[in-house]
Amino acid sequence: MAVNVVITTLGNKFQDYRQDIPGDSFEWGPVIDASNITSFTFHHSVTKQTAKTDGDWKRECNVIANAHIARGWGGVGYRFIICSDGTVAYVGDLGHGGSAVANHNHETFSAVIVGDFTKELPTAYQIHSAHVLAKFFLTEMPQYPNLSSWSQVKGHKEWNATACPGSNWKVPGDNLYDRIKNDNWQGYPIPQPEVPTPPSPPVDPCEDIKKELEDSKTGLKIMTKDRDSWRNEAGRLLNGIKILIE
């Protein structure tokens, strides 16, 4: 049975492309027993990052799917493709495991980030989208009870002998795994994710009342001062009249 997924925090950057991507997106790979899923695996595609300039994320997905079909596979091997414009395309139904990690597709879900990370960096938006996608599976998918910790997020090279997902995965210092885990996309190539403007602090309704009271006090002081001035002036006039009479 098909598994529908919606990641609202990605907005229109999350796209369900299972119906339209070339190949079989629904029944390719082993049938998944949800209790067997114990990891989430990232890959790099070693294909060109084109959507970051032209916005055509479907073309990036189709290139990968057609390459997999050319190998004799039934459809795209990954469950998700993270395109270079930040779009997360849901391309392989979670009811089946696809063909991304040899001998382990029954126990891990795989997402590929478009690009060759032995030669280039992901875009800032890809880092952010990868973070949101992984976090969604760790915190908002209770149907996979044995997937809940960032320690279960792996790179392809942790399963098989491969350079995937690039030369900067879990190396000392600044690395791709930590970038994804911490949503640290700053300093990576454009496009960047849209950062929401923080809301203005709520206005304390008492502040207006306090201001009015302060204004009233000031007005009273001015009125009191004016009254005293008039009294003094009246006193001077009376004294002048007395002098004239005398």
Side-chain angles (χ1 to χ4, degrees):
M1 185 170 61
V3 179
N4 293 322
V5 177
V6 177
I7 305 179
T8 56
T9 47
L10 284 171
N12 64 5
K13 287 296 184 182
F14 182 82
Q15 297 288 334
D16 187 345
Y17 195 44
R18 289 174 297 171
Q19 291 286 355
D20 297 326
I21 195 169
D24 178 4
S25 294
F26 290 91
E27 296 184 350
W28 175 242
V31 175
I32 292 298
D33 177 343
S35 63
N36 288 337
I37 297 297
T38 58
S39 65
F40 194 91
T41 302
F42 281 107
H43 305 251
H44 68 165
S45 66
V46 197
T47 56
K48 292 182 179 180
Q49 295 178 328
T50 55
K52 65 183 179 184
T53 53
D54 64 19
D56 190 352
W57 58 268
K58 292 181 180 179
R59 179 156 69 104
E60 287 190 345
C61 293
N62 293 347
V63 166
I64 294 169
N66 287 326
H68 287 186
I69 292 168
R71 296 179 184 178
W73 297 358
V76 65
Y78 309 112
R79 305 301 82 191
F80 299 91
I81 296 176
I82 303 174
C83 302
S84 60
D85 69 335
T87 297
V88 175
Y90 182 22
V91 294
D93 192 82
L94 296 177
H96 287 71
S99 48
V101 181
N103 303 316
H104 297 284
N105 294 304
H106 64 288
E107 60 182 316
T108 189
F109 286 141
S110 286
V112 65
I113 307 173
V114 174
D116 181 350
F117 306 138
T118 64
K119 300 176 181 177
E120 61 190 337
L121 293 172
T123 65
Y125 220 137
Q126 284 178 304
I127 293 292
H128 174 68
S129 293
H131 170 82
V132 173
L133 176 62
K135 184 179 178 181
F136 179 81
F137 272 87
L138 299 178
T139 63
E140 298 184 49
M141 294 289 272
Q143 58 267 52
Y144 304 106
N146 296 315
L147 180 60
S148 60
S149 169
W150 279 100
S151 65
Q152 295 171 281
V153 175
K154 300 180 180 295
H156 187 184
K157 62 173 59 179
E158 294 177 71
W159 294 104
N160 305 132
T162 175
C164 181
S167 51
N168 196 33
W169 183 262
K170 290 187 179 180
V171 297
D174 186 4
N175 65 71
L176 182 55
Y177 169 78
D178 286 340
R179 286 268 181 170
I180 292 172
K181 178 182 177 181
N182 299 316
D183 196 17
N184 181 16
W185 49 264
Q186 288 82 358
Y188 269 37
I190 58 173
Q192 296 180 346
E194 298 173 5
V195 179
T197 303
S200 301
V203 177
D204 184 355
C206 294
E207 287 300 319
D208 290 337
I209 298 173
K210 289 176 183 177
K211 186 176 185 303
E212 289 180 9
L213 288 173
E214 290 299 324
D215 291 344
S216 297
K217 288 178 182 178
T218 302
L220 286 172
K221 288 178 181 177
I222 293 171
M223 290 174 65
T224 301
K225 183 178 179 181
D226 288 345
R227 183 188 62 193
D228 292 341
S229 297
W230 280 109
R231 283 178 177 174
N232 292 335
E233 186 65 25
R236 284 195 296 272
L237 287 171
L238 287 173
N239 288 333
I241 291 169
K242 288 178 182 178
I243 292 170
L244 288 171
I245 293 172
E246 293 174 355

